[in-house]
Amino acid sequence: MKIISKNFKLLTVFLLVIGLTACSDDDDNNGPGIQTTTVVDVALANNLTSLAAALEATDLVTTLQGTGPFTVFAPDNDAFAALLADTGLDLDNLSAAEKTLVTNILLNHVIIGENLDATSIVNAGSGYLSTASPSGFGDSTLSLYFNVDAGTVKLNGGFDTTAGADVDETDLTATNGVIHIIDKVLLPPTVVDMAIANPNFSTLVTALTTLTPGTDFVATLSTDNGTSPAPFTVFAPTNTAFDNLGTPPAEDVLTQVLLHHVIDGANVRSSGLTPNGTTSPETLQGQTIDITLPGTSGNIADVTDGAGNSDIGIVAVDVQTANGVIHVVNKVMLPSL
């Protein structure tokens, strides 16, 4: 075993789960004598002992014994061993702050209210899910990105093969949900992590890194960068939006263009926009943009950039990360230069 080295500790986990399961067997929703097999039971039956120990350490066993349904992306024992080695966390001796951290990490692997089997995920191809982790600003729950490539499902990974987690085993079914086993622990992502995860933002990532070497955008969009404060609201143009822009401008102009897509010090979700009206936040570049609800031509909202272009649409909203939120735009926003 990778995380629990003492046999009596593992026995404690098993006895705890067995006791809770026995209590749930006569649940009023199931009727007396009807056996339930929860996602925790299924995890133990598939030797996910490290996950069980982490759930016990954070008092989440009873949560996942609930009605659900739950979709759980369960890291294997090796994944938890790597996490503990990297962080120095000790599940047997967590401080209050560490317990909160581990709790939020675990909940970042749980989708509440959906029973998503492998077929439904593969058929969707890609998309965002809302996890149970309240690690976003204002207790907003974190988003999880999934992407299917040649039949392999990757979480928060996308075109960067070193990032995210692969789904190695699917459809371990329980009476209150389903478990899919993954090979890494998913830490709360930043806005940069989530941009890297989605292949539709590969041109944006190239612009932020390769094409603007004079500006460290990764540091700029970090939580503690010393200048622009988190949280950040990022309007992310798709690859098609950049293709329609044509040849990228010179680095100094491109830097100003990219800064025109960022609001600092605010986690502006769609619910925070003015309904049936216009919101005009100032961007990190220094000029304002106008966001108008409702949108036209199928857009969720319409945007007028600093240069006066009013044919920009917000087409997806509220991709929540640990240090900000991302909204997707269908055209590159230009400042007045």
Side-chain angles (χ1 to χ4, degrees):
M1 284 177 290
K2 303 298 183 180
I3 293 181
I4 310 169
S5 59
K6 297 179 181 179
N7 290 332
F8 75 85
K9 178 66 176 177
L10 179 57
L11 179 61
T12 300
V13 175
F14 273 103
L15 291 175
L16 174 67
V17 174
I18 290 171
L20 288 169
T21 302
C23 292
S24 67
D25 286 344
D26 294 329
D27 186 274
D28 291 339
N29 293 327
N30 295 317
I34 297 178
Q35 181 70 27
T36 60
T37 305
T38 70
V39 289
V40 179
D41 303 318
V42 172
L44 281 170
N46 287 271
N47 197 38
L48 297 174
T49 53
S50 298
L51 172 61
L55 292 174
E56 182 199 4
T58 54
D59 302 324
L60 287 176
V61 172
T62 52
T63 298
L64 294 183
Q65 292 279 359
T67 303
F70 304 103
T71 299
V72 180
F73 296 99
D76 59 27
N77 291 345
D78 287 339
F80 273 103
L83 173 70
L84 297 189
D86 291 341
T87 62
L89 290 168
D90 180 1
L91 293 180
D92 292 329
N93 188 30
L94 295 175
S95 67
E98 290 172 337
K99 183 176 179 179
T100 298
L101 171 64
V102 176
T103 298
N104 288 337
I105 290 174
L106 291 173
L107 291 175
N108 192 39
H109 298 74
V110 178
I111 313 300
I112 298 179
E114 296 193 63
N115 194 337
L116 299 172
D117 61 14
T119 299
S120 63
I121 294 173
V122 171
N123 286 345
S126 64
Y128 294 99
L129 299 169
S130 182
T131 75
S133 178
S135 298
F137 277 82
D139 293 331
S140 300
T141 55
L142 294 179
S143 298
L144 176 69
Y145 179 74
F146 68 91
N147 184 58
V148 183
D149 184 15
T152 298
V153 180
K154 183 175 280 290
L155 306 177
N156 287 358
F159 62 91
D160 184 346
T161 58
T162 64
D166 290 334
V167 178
D168 290 336
E169 190 172 351
T170 63
D171 293 344
L172 306 178
T173 58
T175 54
N176 68 340
V178 62
I179 290 178
H180 308 293
I181 299 178
I182 62 177
D183 65 353
K184 289 183 181 178
V185 175
L186 298 169
L187 299 178
T190 66
V191 290
V192 174
D193 296 330
M194 199 59 86
I196 292 173
N198 191 334
N200 292 312
F201 298 141
S202 60
T203 305
L204 171 62
V205 172
T206 299
L208 290 169
T209 55
T210 306
L211 299 182
T212 52
T215 303
D216 189 346
F217 275 101
V218 174
T220 299
L221 296 175
S222 66
T223 300
D224 300 312
N225 59 41
T227 54
S228 304
F232 303 97
T233 301
V234 177
F235 299 90
T238 62
N239 292 345
T240 300
F242 275 102
D243 290 342
N244 292 336
L245 182 64
T247 303
E251 180 185 345
D252 57 340
V253 175
L254 181 58
T255 296
Q256 295 304 305
V257 169
L258 295 174
L259 291 173
H260 196 57
H261 290 76
V262 180
I263 301 168
D264 66 337
N267 192 87
V268 184
R269 294 176 62 87
S270 59
S271 58
L273 299 176
T274 302
N276 299 312
T278 299
T279 305
S280 301
E282 182 178 340
T283 69
L284 201 53
Q285 179 266 340
Q287 297 175 18
T288 61
I289 58 174
D290 295 331
I291 306 171
T292 303
L293 282 175
T296 58
S297 302
N299 299 330
I300 296 172
D302 295 329
V303 180
T304 301
D305 62 21
N309 300 304
S310 58
D311 58 344
I312 303 163
I314 298 178
V315 295
V317 295
D318 299 340
V319 179
Q320 185 64 56
T321 77
N323 73 333
V325 65
I326 297 174
H327 307 297
V328 183
V329 291
N330 60 9
K331 292 191 176 182
V332 176
M333 302 191 303
L334 302 175
S336 176
L337 298 174

